[in-house]
Amino acid sequence: MLEKMLQDLEHIQEETKSQLKKVVSQEELNEIRVKFLGKKGELTAILKGMGKLNNEDRPKVGQVANEIRNNMEGFIAAKTKELKEAALTAQIEEERIDISLPGDPVALGHRHPLTMVIDDIKEIFLGMGYEIAEGPEVENDYNNFEGLNLPKDHPARDMQDSFYITENILLRTHTSPVQVRTMAKMVPNYPVKVICPGKVFRRDDDSTHSPMFHQVEGLVIDENISLADLKGTLLTVLRQLFGADREIRLRPSYFPFTEPSVEVDISCGICGGKGCRSCANTGWLEILGAGMVHPNVLEMAGYDSTKLRGFAFGIGVERVAMLKYGIDDLRVFFENDTRFLNQF
Ligand code: PHE
């Protein structure tokens, strides 16, 4: 009886060992655990026979049975560990990144055409000794209008219909408020020689007007500044931008903050000034507004208008870009269609 039980115990230990060898999954492992060590398993079945042993043999079998149970649990634990490691290795193998494969190319962008034009303009003026001034896009009424000789209810305010935040605060309609800011900062010092590139806003929207567009403002204040200085400066700048063969002409115009005021045209690049479809047969293309700083503007800023003079101009950046690149609809600049942008 004793011999038989010990043999049986030995046998299920060997049986567990050999069956575990073939196990490849956690489910199979569980089945084996239940089959040999479970409540209704083979070990329990053998131990049921213990009651028939005499008192002397019973502890012996008990001891051997405990050892064997421990061994079998050890085999199962070892197999569990082995299966987990194998699963992890398989997962790592599956997710392995082949670093020798070529990567996805990253599409390189470039500067926006308007940024390119602004950079060109800045470069030219910096070369002429100008400094770059800045001002906010959200302005107060004084800087945008009053300080530029445009009191409340002045009819010329209608030329620049604005986006108001409050009665007194608006999106700037031009970069000219930076003139007012610059003078307030500099007074009573001179010469003043600045440009200010930036965004401006108006309630306009068609193929040649956008509610947001860009200008480059210019302001020069010194003794003995004349309209000839303005003309010479603009001719130099526009020839650098468009080519040395271009001419400019000044036409009388009106801005409340300049007197006299001019509209500046550049000779048509397509017909060379003879007249063609692009320039509506005039030979000229309008490109910017300018003039001599109005004495009231100088005085309001605290400069002595009997001693100092100034000139100012406002270049429309989109306008320059359209003429430079032959674009007839300004909205393409803001649609960000890469088929358009990639052409630059
Ligand atoms: N601020 C004017 C405009 O936006 C342009 C300008 C600037 C005219 C400076 C004269 C002097 O229309």
Side-chain angles (χ1 to χ4, degrees):
M1 195 67 214
L2 173 66
E3 279 309 298
K4 169 84 168 72
M5 278 186 78
L6 291 177
Q7 265 173 22
D8 286 350
L9 286 171
E10 191 66 35
H11 177 73
I12 63 163
Q13 167 166 293
E14 288 313 309
E15 200 47 32
T16 308
K17 220 191 217 171
S18 82
Q19 289 196 19
L20 276 175
K21 283 207 183 102
K22 292 175 227 149
V23 162
V24 292
S25 73
Q26 197 63 47
E27 291 83 56
E28 288 172 346
L29 186 67
N30 278 338
E31 275 168 29
I32 287 182
R33 185 204 312 281
V34 172
K35 182 173 165 201
F36 291 103
L37 290 173
K39 257 190 204 156
K40 292 175 181 163
E42 296 197 9
L43 183 64
T44 316
I46 294 169
L47 296 180
K48 274 194 182 139
M50 291 243 295
K52 292 182 192 133
L53 293 173
N54 59 41
N55 288 346
E56 216 175 292
D57 291 342
R58 209 174 286 139
K60 285 187 195 154
V61 173
Q63 199 189 345
V64 173
N66 276 339
E67 264 169 41
I68 281 181
R69 181 198 301 278
N70 283 341
N71 289 345
M72 285 162 67
E73 278 171 354
F75 301 153
I76 289 174
K79 189 72 192 183
T80 306
K81 198 170 157 223
E82 189 189 309
L83 283 179
K84 275 193 186 144
E85 280 169 3
L88 186 63
T89 311
Q91 190 189 356
I92 290 170
E93 194 57 41
E94 191 183 302
E95 292 174 2
R96 186 192 217 101
I97 294 164
D98 182 351
I99 56 163
S100 69
L101 284 175
D104 291 333
V106 177
L108 270 192
H110 58 75
R111 288 178 304 161
H112 189 279
L114 292 177
T115 308
M116 288 160 62
V117 169
I118 291 173
D119 287 351
D120 288 351
I121 295 173
K122 277 196 212 164
E123 200 65 34
I124 295 167
F125 279 104
L126 287 173
M128 295 169 78
Y130 283 70
E131 282 177 47
I132 296 181
E134 275 185 281
E137 289 164 13
V138 180
E139 255 304 359
N140 60 44
D141 188 87
Y142 183 85
N143 290 331
N144 198 82
F145 291 129
E146 294 258 5
L148 290 164
N149 204 27
L150 266 149
K152 291 214 167 29
D153 302 323
H154 193 292
R157 284 194 179 203
D158 290 350
M159 295 196 305
Q160 301 187 3
D161 200 0
S162 330
F163 296 99
Y164 280 90
I165 312 274
T166 69
E167 208 178 310
N168 216 17
I169 296 178
L170 68 157
L171 300 186
R172 67 180 178 194
T173 57
H174 47 181
T175 41
S176 301
V178 184
Q179 289 188 37
V180 179
R181 288 177 173 272
T182 304
M183 289 187 286
K185 218 188 277 173
M186 293 280 291
V187 75
N189 299 315
Y190 63 89
V192 174
K193 212 172 159 190
V194 295
I195 56 161
C196 166
K199 288 187 169 62
V200 301
F201 306 84
R202 288 186 203 176
R203 290 178 60 169
D204 269 335
D205 201 359
D206 60 40
S207 67
T208 54
H209 296 89
S210 152
M212 185 282 299
F213 60 106
H214 299 78
Q215 290 186 331
V216 178
E217 191 78 11
L219 175 68
V220 172
I221 300 171
D222 203 351
E223 293 166 8
N224 298 318
I225 292 288
S226 76
L227 195 65
D229 297 313
L230 171 63
K231 187 175 181 183
T233 301
L234 293 176
L235 181 63
T236 307
V237 171
L238 292 174
R239 280 188 172 166
Q240 286 195 55
L241 265 180
F242 288 98
D245 56 335
R246 296 300 187 94
E247 295 297 338
I248 63 168
R249 75 172 180 185
L250 273 50
R251 282 182 289 119
S253 184
Y254 173 75
F255 298 103
F257 33 93
T258 47
E259 184 59 40
S261 300
V262 294
E263 212 75 58
V264 179
D265 296 339
I266 184 169
S267 57
C268 177
I270 293 176
C271 61
K274 283 193 206 75
C276 67
R277 235 168 32 146
S278 296
C279 55
N281 280 314
T282 60
W284 297 97
L285 300 155
E286 188 183 318
I287 193 147
L288 61 97
M292 301 303 292
V293 180
H294 197 293
N296 288 354
V297 172
L298 289 173
E299 293 291 337
M300 276 188 281
Y303 281 110
D304 181 351
S305 69
T306 61
K307 201 170 108 192
L308 297 175
R309 301 263 188 93
F311 68 70
F313 54 84
I315 306 174
V317 175
E318 283 77 3
R319 179 96 188 125
V320 169
M322 286 168 81
L323 294 178
K324 204 170 148 85
Y325 299 117
I327 295 161
D328 56 12
D329 189 332
L330 160 155
R331 289 170 291 204
V332 292
F333 288 122
F334 308 116
E335 282 164 0
N336 286 332
D337 184 332
T338 51
R339 288 170 302 180
F340 167 72
L341 295 175
N342 284 339
Q343 294 176 49
F344 292 87

